[in-house]
Amino acid sequence: MVALPDHRRRRLRRPSAREAGTALLFILPCLALFVVFRFGPAIAGVVLGFTDYTIGGDTGWVGLENFRRLVDDPTFWSAVRVTVIFTLLSVPLSMLASLGMALLTRRAFRGAKIFRSIFFLPVVTSLVLAGVVFTWVFSEGGPWSGLMAGLGLPAGSWLADSFLVIPALVFVSVWSRFGYGMLILLARLQAIPAELEEAALTDGASAWQRFRYVTLPQLRPALFFVAIIETTVSFQVFDTIYVMTGGGPVRASYTLVYLLYDQGFRYFDLGYASAIGVALFVMTVVVALIQRLTLGRDN
């Protein structure tokens, strides 16, 4: 057996208890801040869900009463329905747009970096600013209404239509999010060994067959990650709805987070708002587990 050099042995040596303690001492302030400001509010929110806490009022333990209110509250179930519809439309479209743009810009060509930067630009754009701009775009007499009229379709404000308001919001969501997924998928695409596609091409595989049997299986972990992120963001959508519709018209865009905001910061019923937050968290975890069992399972 060839002996390792001294510097390699020193590098592979396990740290002593004193060294580990010193390292822990250095990271302890950051760890403490993370626990206090990350897990502390989350735990407090769960506890508040079992109380009737209101700002300036008495606080008492009510047990599961807030969650019983959720079950009997038609507004809550309407918000669940709107949130689920928004997610079912937004997540697949965002992932398709991310995958399409990643495949389009994966090859090195003149101006590829410029196109990647342009596609990623909406991710770093303020959602409030984007909401203000798209409110004008989808308004009656705006560019989108003019385009619909030019195509012979009904013109008018999509944001004032109970049926079309969700597609309009989904469009804004996809526009603002697909660049992030594109970046993740692009990094994974560039890590796929070129020999795999070359071997498939030598065997006579078509472009679709190479994508289905070579590229797509290699993208599976990245697709799972993007799906989880996009689902979480879609369940928590608030900024654009607050700016563009205010939950209207007739609560057609009234999502769970908007309901939570109303109960907590308009009616100051923080106990009930916390129960809504707990329900939203449980729904997100359940959907993530379902995605793990389908898209993210190991071969």
Side-chain angles (χ1 to χ4, degrees):
M1 180 180 296
V2 179
L4 290 173
D6 290 341
H7 70 279
R8 290 288 302 279
R9 284 201 297 269
R10 286 196 300 268
R11 189 162 54 193
L12 296 176
R13 178 178 61 84
R14 296 184 62 181
S16 64
R18 182 178 179 180
E19 292 172 335
T22 303
L24 181 61
L25 186 63
F26 276 100
I27 68 172
L28 191 59
C30 182
L31 182 62
L33 290 173
F34 181 81
V35 171
V36 170
F37 292 102
R38 191 69 171 179
F39 290 100
I43 295 173
V46 173
V47 174
L48 285 178
F50 296 91
T51 68
D52 61 351
Y53 177 71
T54 56
I55 296 179
D58 297 330
T59 302
W61 186 265
V62 296
L64 297 175
E65 182 60 31
N66 287 325
F67 297 96
R68 294 192 186 99
R69 282 181 60 189
L70 285 180
V71 175
D72 298 330
D73 188 356
T75 304
F76 169 75
W77 292 111
S78 174
V80 170
R81 179 183 61 81
V82 172
T83 303
V84 170
I85 292 174
F86 180 88
T87 302
L88 290 176
L89 293 175
S90 176
V91 173
L93 290 176
S94 182
M95 292 185 66
L96 284 174
S98 299
L99 181 58
M101 294 301 102
L103 292 171
L104 184 65
T105 60
R106 67 179 297 196
R107 305 296 182 187
F109 58 90
R110 185 185 298 273
K113 294 182 179 180
I114 296 177
F115 281 105
R116 294 170 189 169
S117 301
I118 293 173
F119 293 151
F120 187 75
L121 189 60
V123 178
V124 296
T125 302
S126 168
L127 283 178
V128 175
L129 176 60
V132 171
V133 173
F134 277 104
T135 299
W136 167 71
V137 169
F138 286 108
S139 65
E140 187 172 0
W144 190 260
S145 178
L147 177 62
M148 294 295 102
L151 296 175
L153 299 174
S157 174
W158 279 30
L159 301 180
D161 190 300
S162 299
F163 181 75
L164 296 175
V165 63
I166 292 297
L169 293 171
V170 167
F171 178 87
V172 178
S173 176
V174 172
W175 173 86
S176 65
R177 292 293 307 170
F178 82 90
Y180 179 78
M182 179 202 71
L183 197 66
I184 300 299
L185 297 177
L186 182 62
R188 181 57 184 167
L189 281 171
Q190 293 178 338
I192 298 176
E195 294 80 4
L196 295 177
E197 290 195 10
E198 291 173 358
L201 186 62
T202 303
D203 290 339
S206 64
W208 167 248
Q209 289 173 328
R210 294 197 303 272
F211 171 75
R212 180 179 178 183
Y213 297 108
V214 178
T215 305
L216 197 57
Q218 296 291 321
L219 283 177
R220 192 167 193 154
L223 286 171
F224 171 63
F225 175 78
V226 173
I228 292 294
I229 296 298
E230 292 297 330
T231 302
T232 303
V233 171
S234 296
F235 268 105
Q236 297 177 358
V237 62
F238 175 77
D239 311 60
T240 53
I241 293 177
Y242 181 83
V243 174
M244 296 177 65
T245 67
V250 199
R251 292 187 173 176
S253 60
Y254 199 68
T255 60
L256 277 173
V257 177
Y258 209 99
L259 173 63
L260 187 154
Y261 165 79
D262 267 355
Q263 294 297 324
F265 298 100
R266 179 173 295 179
Y267 306 119
F268 301 109
D269 190 354
L270 297 180
Y272 189 52
S274 298
I276 297 171
V278 173
L280 178 61
F281 171 75
V282 172
M283 289 174 57
T284 306
V285 171
V286 170
V287 172
L289 290 176
I290 293 174
Q291 290 175 323
R292 177 67 179 89
L293 294 175
T294 54
L295 182 62
R297 67 178 183 272
D298 296 329
N299 291 328

